[in-house]
Amino acid sequence: MPKVALIQLSADESPAVNKARTEDAIRQAAANGAQIICTQELFTTQYFCRTEDCEFFDLADPLPGPLTEAHQSLAAELGVVIVASGFEKRATGLYHNTAWVIDADGSFLGLYRKMHIPQDPGFEEKFYFTPGDLGYKAFKTKFGTIGVLICWDQWYPEAARLTALEGAEILFYPTAIGWLPEEKPLLGEAQHCAWETVQRGHAVANGCYVCAINRVGTEGNSEFWGQTFISDFYGQIIAKAPVSEETILYADIDLKALEDHRRIWPFFRDRRIETYGGITRRWGH
């Protein structure tokens, strides 16, 4: 039963500060017995996508590079799996919202590039990020097979399904989602309910655990709603963080119970794959 830890922090303007604070949190999580540790989305920076500004491209890191190498050393030292999310500079003018997975021996297992890129007031991501081109992936780690998807991906059941079909037992969703002041009074509760419910549905439909990691604090007009959570394969929330407090959220993941569950609710067995060709169309006709 591996123990996961999800790091819910606020963000400073300084990437160096954010990297140091996240390393401290990883060390604390490991000291408390965590074996798989995941950061929030774009953990090195504030959520710069609130506006369109070319200067923010300077925040991007080459991946793999010094940032992932630091995580490799940290993972090997602590004997933990690290899942992290940052801003990738692939080339000048070509950037991705990217996650990486480091195994407990420090080996670099690979990248996942965010597939679904939103464009909304306060979430101007299409200006910054090229859609991912690495496909949906599962990573076999010392403590279990995991999949990583990022924020806006969490609204798409196709992404969860394809990652689960690669063998993922736990889906991690590094996230940066919050309320805008003009929407919160009327829609805030409903928006959060939708966000949580759809991910619990992914856990049920795919017979897996789901770990959604958000940030906290107010950046510009965006109030990030925290409430990082872990759902089991029945969609039951087994751990949940507060709305506004920095937290390391822990839960034990019962992979034997997951295997037993997939045997009695064999959704993968009963899929009618020959009927699903229409899913590749933009619309029904």
Side-chain angles (χ1 to χ4, degrees):
M1 290 180 63
K3 177 179 283 190
V4 300
L6 313 182
I7 299 173
Q8 173 178 292
L9 299 177
S10 59
D12 190 85
E13 291 183 357
S14 166
V17 169
N18 294 323
K19 291 173 184 178
R21 294 181 69 236
T22 298
E23 179 178 332
D24 289 344
I26 291 171
R27 290 184 178 279
Q28 180 180 338
N32 287 330
Q35 294 158 310
I36 307 174
I37 303 169
C38 187
T39 75
Q40 62 209 31
E41 182 185 16
L42 300 169
F43 84 91
T44 66
T45 68
Q46 292 190 333
Y47 185 73
F48 53 85
C49 309
R50 301 189 314 274
T51 60
E52 297 183 0
D53 187 336
C54 285
E55 290 187 4
F56 289 136
F57 288 113
D58 292 336
L59 297 171
D61 291 289
L63 299 174
L67 183 54
T68 55
E69 290 167 5
H71 279 174
Q72 288 180 263
S73 297
L74 186 61
E77 175 192 344
L78 301 175
V80 300
V81 173
I82 296 176
V83 183
S85 165
F87 186 18
E88 177 190 1
K89 180 180 180 180
R90 189 171 177 184
T92 300
L94 179 57
Y95 302 83
H96 295 280
N97 188 333
T98 300
W100 55 93
V101 179
I102 310 298
D103 209 351
D105 63 357
S107 57
F108 179 80
L109 297 185
L111 301 174
Y112 167 76
R113 292 178 176 138
K114 185 175 180 176
M115 292 286 200
H116 302 90
I117 311 298
Q119 186 70 24
D120 290 301
F123 298 88
E124 310 283 347
E125 295 199 14
K126 281 185 166 62
F127 181 78
Y128 295 100
F129 306 130
T130 300
D133 56 1
L134 296 176
Y136 301 103
K137 306 170 76 171
F139 302 90
K140 291 186 177 180
T141 78
K142 179 178 179 180
F143 300 114
T145 303
I146 68 175
V148 188
L149 298 161
I150 301 173
C151 202
W152 194 237
D153 290 330
Q154 61 209 177
W155 300 97
Y156 294 87
E158 300 89 344
R161 173 71 87 203
L162 288 168
T163 305
L165 288 175
E166 291 297 314
E169 301 163 310
I170 313 168
L171 298 180
F172 288 88
Y173 287 94
T175 298
I177 191 168
W179 294 296
L180 298 176
E182 63 271 23
E183 294 180 348
K184 183 179 178 182
L186 180 63
L187 297 174
E189 184 176 349
Q191 289 171 342
H192 175 263
C193 177
W195 173 77
E196 187 177 273
T197 302
V198 73
Q199 292 179 90
R200 292 168 66 185
H202 299 333
V204 175
N206 294 292
C208 63
Y209 286 87
V210 165
C211 300
I213 310 92
N214 198 12
R215 64 175 66 200
V216 293
T218 298
E219 302 175 19
N221 290 328
S222 299
E223 179 189 351
F224 294 95
W225 65 43
Q227 299 181 82
T228 291
F229 72 91
I230 300 166
S231 169
D232 72 6
F233 38 80
Y234 282 112
Q236 300 175 115
I237 293 179
I238 59 175
K240 186 172 182 177
V243 174
S244 57
E245 298 175 23
E246 295 188 329
T247 307
I248 303 176
L249 187 70
Y250 300 92
D252 292 320
I253 302 299
D254 191 336
L255 296 179
K256 176 61 167 62
L258 184 150
E259 181 175 359
D260 292 344
H261 174 77
R262 284 181 170 180
R263 291 175 177 179
I264 62 171
W265 282 14
F267 296 139
F268 297 137
R269 182 196 68 189
D270 294 338
R271 294 175 65 242
R272 292 289 308 279
I273 58 175
E274 73 278 10
T275 70
Y276 299 156
I279 199 69
T280 62
R281 297 197 297 264
R282 178 66 64 184
W283 191 241
H285 52 77

